[in-house]
């Protein structure tokens, strides 16, 4: 048990190791910002399943790029954008969207596994696409990630108000002249880009821990439209950067640490939310009844 604990949390020469993964820490902080901003919209629009579906096509694109010696980030982006467009254009209703995602997921996963099986390079590269990695973020990849993240953030800020309206009540928004259909497609493209850059750090299988769980935790504490994204960003950055630092100490894949921290934050927020709801819903006797009972006593 002691050996296992030492393997999970070993911090020998930790300061020197942190300097080696500076790019990964920067990338994790940026991804936390992206995931925290887009996560509340994913939940409001009931699209966590879409995140997983897009991640499978992103994994397929990244795997194909790895096999053919192309840019892995570019391949991931292409796969994500294709999936996002298919889901956005063909799945106008929730039932249709879920069916399309259920069809795309096994196809993307199968193509990705095929490409990885044919790939003759380092096994760490193959494993990292599924479970994340902390040492493979070089300067060109960081540049790609920063650029794509900037596009996602700027686009979200530009469409924030109409997208919020369309997400909360699409029928009323459409009646008010908001281009709901166009916003839906734009959001899917932005979501595809966010998934593509997230896969590079946390892996295709566990991208939900970055784009969904922090927002779900924030919504357990408040429904204030200004506080939710701020809390979601704080939770996402804590999960990713904290996971990177812990994984660095143990020399293990990043994903178990990120998902554990993210889940722990969600669990604490859920307990706080339930405790607050219980106090709010606790029946209170009217003042007159309480006064009469006191007089009778």
């Amino acid at each position: 048990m002691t050996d296992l604990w030492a393997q999970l949390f070993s911090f020998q020469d930790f300061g020197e190791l942190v300097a080696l993964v500076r790019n990964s820490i920067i990338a994790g902080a940026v991804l936390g910002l992206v995931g925290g901003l887009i996560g509340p919209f994913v939940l409001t629009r009931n699209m966590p399943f879409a995140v997983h579906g897009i991640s499978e096509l992103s994994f397929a694109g990244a795997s194909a790029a790895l096999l053919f010696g192309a840019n892995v980030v570019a391949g991931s982006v292409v796969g994500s954008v294709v999936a996002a467009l298919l889901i956005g254009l063909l799945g106008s209703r929730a039932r249709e969207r879920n069916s399309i995602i259920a069809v795309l997921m096994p196809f993307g996963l199968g193509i990705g596994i095929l490409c990885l099986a044919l790939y003759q390079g380092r096994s760490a590269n193959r494993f990292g696409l599924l479970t994340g990695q902390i040492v493979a973020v070089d300067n060109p990849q960081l540049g790609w990630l920063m650029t794509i993240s900037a596009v996602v953030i700027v686009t979200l800020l530009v469409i924030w108000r109409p997208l919020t309206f369309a997400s909360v009540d699409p029928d009323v928004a459409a009646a008010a002249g908001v281009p709901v259909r166009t916003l839906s497609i734009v959001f899917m493209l932005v979501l595809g880009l966010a998934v593509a850059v997230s896969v590079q750090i946390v892996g295709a299988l566990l991208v939900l821990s970055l784009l969904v769980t922090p927002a779900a935790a924030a919504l357990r504490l408040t429904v204030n439209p200004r506080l939710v994204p701020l809390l979601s960003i704080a939770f996402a950055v804590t999960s990713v950067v904290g996971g990177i630092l812990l994984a660095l100490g143990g020399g293990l894949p990043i994903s178990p640490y990120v998902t554990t921290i993210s889940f722990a934050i969600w669990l604490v927020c859920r307990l706080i939310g339930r405790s607050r709801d219980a106090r709010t819903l606790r029946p209170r006797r009217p003042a007159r009844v309480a006064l009469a009972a006191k007089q009778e006593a």
Side-chain angles (χ1 to χ4, degrees):
M1 187 66 181
T2 304
D3 293 339
L4 177 60
W5 187 262
Q7 185 178 2
L8 291 174
F9 303 101
S10 175
F11 296 100
Q12 289 183 337
D13 302 322
F14 188 70
E16 291 79 2
L17 293 175
V18 169
L20 295 176
V21 294
R22 181 180 61 89
N23 284 354
S24 296
I25 294 174
I26 296 173
V30 172
L31 290 182
L33 176 61
V34 171
L37 282 176
I38 204 169
F41 290 110
V42 172
L43 292 178
T44 304
R45 300 174 73 87
N46 193 26
M47 300 186 72
F49 194 39
V51 172
H52 198 34
I54 294 173
S55 71
E56 301 295 355
L57 265 294
S58 178
F59 164 66
S63 301
L66 188 66
L67 174 63
F68 294 108
N71 188 293
V72 175
V73 179
S76 179
V77 169
V78 170
S80 292
V81 169
V82 169
L85 283 176
L86 288 174
I87 296 171
L89 292 174
L90 301 179
S92 58
R93 297 181 180 180
R95 182 177 299 177
E96 295 174 347
R97 183 170 63 238
N98 289 337
S99 298
I100 293 168
I101 296 169
V103 171
L104 290 176
M105 282 177 59
F107 171 73
L109 187 60
I111 294 296
I113 292 174
L114 174 63
C115 291
L116 292 187
L118 296 174
Y119 177 66
Q120 300 298 319
R122 294 174 62 244
S123 59
N125 293 334
R126 293 181 289 182
F127 193 58
L129 289 178
L130 289 170
T131 60
Q133 49 194 341
I134 62 173
V135 296
V137 182
D138 53 20
N139 289 331
Q141 283 185 321
L142 182 62
W144 271 86
L145 186 146
M146 298 283 284
T147 302
I148 296 172
S149 298
V151 171
V152 171
I153 293 171
V154 171
T155 305
L156 281 177
L157 293 178
V158 170
I159 65 174
W160 190 277
R161 293 188 65 181
L163 181 62
T164 301
F165 190 10
S167 300
V168 173
D169 198 331
D171 294 332
V172 175
V178 176
V180 176
R181 178 70 172 169
T182 302
L183 281 175
S184 178
I185 295 175
V186 171
F187 175 74
M188 288 304 303
L189 289 174
V190 170
L191 180 61
L193 292 176
V195 170
V197 293
S198 300
V199 165
Q200 305 306 312
I201 299 296
V202 297
L205 297 181
L206 301 167
V207 72
L208 289 173
S209 64
L210 179 60
L211 298 183
V212 175
T213 309
L219 287 169
R220 293 302 305 174
L221 296 181
T222 180
V223 293
N224 186 300
R226 295 181 180 179
L227 288 179
V228 167
L230 293 177
L231 288 174
S232 180
I233 290 171
F235 296 156
V237 171
T238 300
S239 299
V240 180
V241 176
I244 289 174
L245 295 177
L246 290 177
L248 182 63
L252 298 172
I254 180 179
S255 50
Y257 297 96
V258 174
T259 54
T260 300
I261 295 174
S262 186
F263 176 76
I265 292 174
W266 173 84
L267 186 60
V268 171
C269 291
R270 182 172 178 82
L271 292 175
I272 293 174
R274 289 190 63 178
S275 177
R276 182 193 57 199
D277 294 342
R279 289 196 303 268
T280 302
L281 297 176
R282 185 180 301 163
R284 298 181 179 179
R285 294 182 298 176
R288 292 182 179 179
V289 175
L291 180 60
K294 183 176 181 180
Q295 290 176 347
E296 290 179 0

